[in-house]
């Protein structure tokens, strides 16, 4: 069977399963999630053995240290997957929720009901834990899922898929509700992102190259973000102590996440006091600073031992995901917002200020998925927003924007209640 035929058969199977899971009760879905958690724990040794095969092959082929870390499964990571399944089971079920019910003069009642998307195709690299994360969220939101992991994790993903199938069947649901693509042929991705008859939405998780390709070639709606070029703007009305804490945490808590600050914008009126203090903290952490001429003059005037690399145009448009930070001194909030509009990726941007009117204007004017006041950009996360686990972050202006949790994996339809009511 060639790849196209294989993917078409898989699509038909998953589409049929989507109709079953859409009608499943909350209890049935939770039963499946808890069964998967139990089976995953019971088969831990099998999962670890499968992952060991993937790890050996990855080392032999020269996979980078960072990718090896993402690929590796250990007992702690399995426990985290088990805990994640239980957490999703404990979340409220969004499916069937009715809102905005109102009486119309004609006699009908009109409202909205939250419903599953249908079939979600998820394409991801390296991390086998995504197989569990994606499966659990899609399942709880009443969706069927087609999961296409990277070839480097094929044995791990197959073994995890077996655990998922057993849990689904124990709950009386078709195993094909969550279908892992078995072939490592890259042509499978091309098929998946064009199967309009069988897949309703695509969620890519991986590097910018993968996501850009899928966004370009897909014939199905895509929930995505390409870059996380996040900004913190320190207003001249900022509280110094708060600003230092937030600017430091936004960059240094974790460097490799999409919510990490990549550019620090500082108002001219506060730069002389703020920059020497924050740059000393960054230098202590080993963060490479790339700054405009004003930034370099202020920092080196206070501490000549701190090296400032001259920032280039490319720096303002770069997501580093490492201990490198661009810094620019701006005249005021207008210049800061103009910089964000030009170079930002629409992910997360924060203003640090005690001026309420400026803060509220920043909230309204900055066109990003998450806009913050006096808070670290590293809060841009599903758990921190109270969504539980997330399947990714969207910078698109569609129904799902920002962290995509259970609600983002559903849509709404209009519902109308009448009593033999006819239109005049």
């Amino acid at each position: 069977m060639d790849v196209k035929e294989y993917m078409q058969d898989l699509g038909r199977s998953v589409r049929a399963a989507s109709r079953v899971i859409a009608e499943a009760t909350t209890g049935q879905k939770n039963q499946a999630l808890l069964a998967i958690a139990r089976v995953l724990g019971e088969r831990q040794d099998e999962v670890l053995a499968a992952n060991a095969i993937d790890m050996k092959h990855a080392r032999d082929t020269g996979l980078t240290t960072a990718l090896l870390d993402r690929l590796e499964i250990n007992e702690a990571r399995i426990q985290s997957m088990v805990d994640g399944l239980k957490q999703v089971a404990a979340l409220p079920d969004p499916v069937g929720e009715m809102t905005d019910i109102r009486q119309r003069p004609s006699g009908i009642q009109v409202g909205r009901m939250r419903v599953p998307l249908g079939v979600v195709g998820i394409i991801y690299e390296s991390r086998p834990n995504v197989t569990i994360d994606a499966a659990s969220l899609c399942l709880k939101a009443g969706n069927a899922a087609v999961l296409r992991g990277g070839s480097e994790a094929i044995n791990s993903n197959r073994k995890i898929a077996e655990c998922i199938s057993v849990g689904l069947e124990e709950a009386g649901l078709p195993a094909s509700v969550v279908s892992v693509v078995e072939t490592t042929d890259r042509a499978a991705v091309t098929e998946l992102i064009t199967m309009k008859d069988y897949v309703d939405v695509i969620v890519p998780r991986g590097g910018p190259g993968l996501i850009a390709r899928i966004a370009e070639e897909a014939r199905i709606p895509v929930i995505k973000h390409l870059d996380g070029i996040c900004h913190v703007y320190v207003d001249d009305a900022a509280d110094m102590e708060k600003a230092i804490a937030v600017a430091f945490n936004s960059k240094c808590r974790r460097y490799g996440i999409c919510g990490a600050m990549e550019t620090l914008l500082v108002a001219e009126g506060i730069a002389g006091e703020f920059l020497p203090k924050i740059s000393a903290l960054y230098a202590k952490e080993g963060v490479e600073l790339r700054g405009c001429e004003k930034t370099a003059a202020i920092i080196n005037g206070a501490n000549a031992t701190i090296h400032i690399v001259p920032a280039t145009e490319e720096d303002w448009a770069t997501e580093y995901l490492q201990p490198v930070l661009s810094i620019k001194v701006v005249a005021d909030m207008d210049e800061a917002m103009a910089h964000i509009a030009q170079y930002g990726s629409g992910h997360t941007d924060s203003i640090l200020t005690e001026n309420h009117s400026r803060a509220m204007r920043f909230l309204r004017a900055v066109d990003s998925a998450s806009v913050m006041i006096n808070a670290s950009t590293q809060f841009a996360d599903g758990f921190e927003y109270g969504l539980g686990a997330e399947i990714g972050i969207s910078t698109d202006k569609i129904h799902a924007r920002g962290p995509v949790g259970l609600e983002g994996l559903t849509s709404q339809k209009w519902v109308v209640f009448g009593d033999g009511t006819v239109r005049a």
Side-chain angles (χ1 to χ4, degrees):
M1 183 184 297
D2 66 15
V3 172
K4 183 177 182 65
E5 187 179 352
Y6 166 75
M7 291 301 295
Q8 290 292 314
D9 285 349
L10 182 68
R12 280 188 286 271
S13 173
V14 178
R15 175 61 79 194
S18 72
R19 300 186 184 100
V20 178
I21 188 63
E23 294 191 51
T25 65
T26 301
Q28 198 173 16
K29 291 185 287 189
N30 289 343
Q31 181 186 350
L33 289 165
L34 296 175
I36 295 167
R38 191 198 75 250
V39 174
L40 186 61
E42 291 172 351
R43 299 191 179 185
Q44 172 178 286
D45 290 345
E46 296 176 38
V47 175
L48 293 174
N51 184 246
I53 296 171
D54 289 331
M55 289 293 291
K56 181 181 184 306
H57 183 261
R59 290 190 189 97
D60 291 344
T61 54
L63 212 64
T64 65
T65 302
L67 289 176
L68 285 171
D69 178 64
R70 294 178 184 178
L71 176 60
E72 183 180 16
I73 298 176
N74 52 37
E75 291 185 9
R77 289 182 177 181
I78 289 180
Q79 187 58 52
S80 178
M81 286 187 257
V82 169
D83 292 343
L85 285 158
K86 293 177 180 177
Q87 289 166 2
V88 173
L91 291 172
D93 187 348
V95 178
E97 177 188 17
M98 286 190 281
T99 56
D100 303 324
I101 302 293
R102 57 190 184 277
Q103 188 79 33
R104 300 294 300 149
S106 61
I108 60 171
Q109 286 185 307
V110 178
R112 297 185 182 190
M113 175 185 285
R114 194 157 290 282
V115 295
L117 294 175
V119 176
V120 181
I122 302 167
I123 301 163
Y124 52 103
E125 300 171 328
S126 299
R127 294 180 174 137
N129 63 290
V130 173
T131 304
I132 286 292
D133 293 345
S136 62
L137 288 169
C138 288
L139 173 57
K140 186 63 179 270
N143 298 299
V146 180
L147 308 182
R148 206 288 184 177
S151 58
E152 68 280 358
I154 187 65
N155 294 290
S156 305
N157 287 334
R158 283 173 176 165
K159 188 56 64 175
I160 292 170
E162 288 178 17
C163 299
I164 294 170
S165 295
V166 172
L168 287 166
E169 289 174 343
E170 282 191 17
L173 296 169
S176 52
V177 163
V178 178
S179 295
V180 171
V181 176
E182 291 282 334
T183 178
T184 59
D185 192 322
R186 292 189 177 186
V189 173
T190 302
E191 290 299 320
L192 179 57
I193 63 178
T194 57
M195 297 196 323
K196 295 189 294 182
D197 291 340
Y198 304 122
V199 181
D200 297 290
V201 67
I202 295 289
V203 181
R205 292 187 58 169
L210 170 73
I211 297 171
R213 177 206 158 191
I214 290 169
E216 179 70 24
E217 298 178 7
R219 297 175 63 191
I220 300 165
V222 179
I223 298 175
K224 69 183 187 305
H225 82 271
L226 286 171
D227 299 298
I229 303 174
C230 304
H231 301 79
V232 171
Y233 165 60
V234 183
D235 186 51
D236 55 17
D239 177 282
M240 185 63 62
E241 187 176 342
K242 292 178 188 176
I244 289 171
V246 172
F248 182 77
N249 183 266
S250 291
K251 183 62 190 178
C252 297
R253 176 185 165 270
R254 287 183 66 186
Y255 300 116
I257 64 172
C258 57
M261 172 183 63
E262 304 293 20
T263 299
L264 176 64
L265 303 172
V266 184
E268 216 164 14
I270 200 172
E273 182 182 1
F274 176 77
L275 282 176
K277 293 179 179 180
I278 193 66
S279 62
L281 294 178
Y282 289 142
K284 188 177 179 181
E285 288 294 309
V287 177
E288 178 185 315
L289 302 180
R290 302 182 183 181
C292 66
E293 289 183 8
K294 290 180 180 179
T295 296
I298 292 169
I299 294 175
N300 290 151
N303 187 342
T305 64
I306 298 177
H307 180 60
I308 307 296
V309 178
T312 66
E313 186 76 8
E314 184 181 358
D315 284 313
W316 308 129
T318 297
E319 180 184 26
Y320 299 114
L321 299 175
Q322 56 183 314
V324 180
L325 176 68
S326 299
I327 306 176
K328 184 177 184 180
V329 175
V330 295
D332 51 25
M333 189 173 77
D334 284 329
E335 186 178 347
M337 292 194 298
H339 181 98
I340 292 169
Q342 182 174 354
Y343 298 103
S345 61
H347 192 294
T348 301
D349 299 292
S350 182
I351 182 173
L352 310 183
T353 188
E354 298 301 305
N355 185 306
H356 179 73
S357 62
R358 289 183 196 171
M360 297 310 293
R361 183 180 166 218
F362 190 88
L363 279 188
R364 291 191 300 269
V366 173
D367 189 18
S368 295
S370 291
V371 185
M372 303 178 171
I373 300 171
N374 294 327
S376 169
T377 58
Q378 301 233 356
F379 278 110
D381 174 272
F383 277 107
E384 294 297 332
Y385 285 9
L387 304 176
E390 67 179 39
I391 205 163
I393 290 179
S394 170
T395 55
D396 288 321
K397 298 180 184 181
I398 55 176
H399 81 288
R401 196 178 188 194
V404 181
L406 288 176
E407 188 171 292
L409 288 172
T410 62
S411 182
Q412 287 183 306
K413 65 181 176 185
W414 291 96
V415 292
V416 178
F417 298 90
D419 186 20
T421 315
V422 297
R423 185 171 177 177

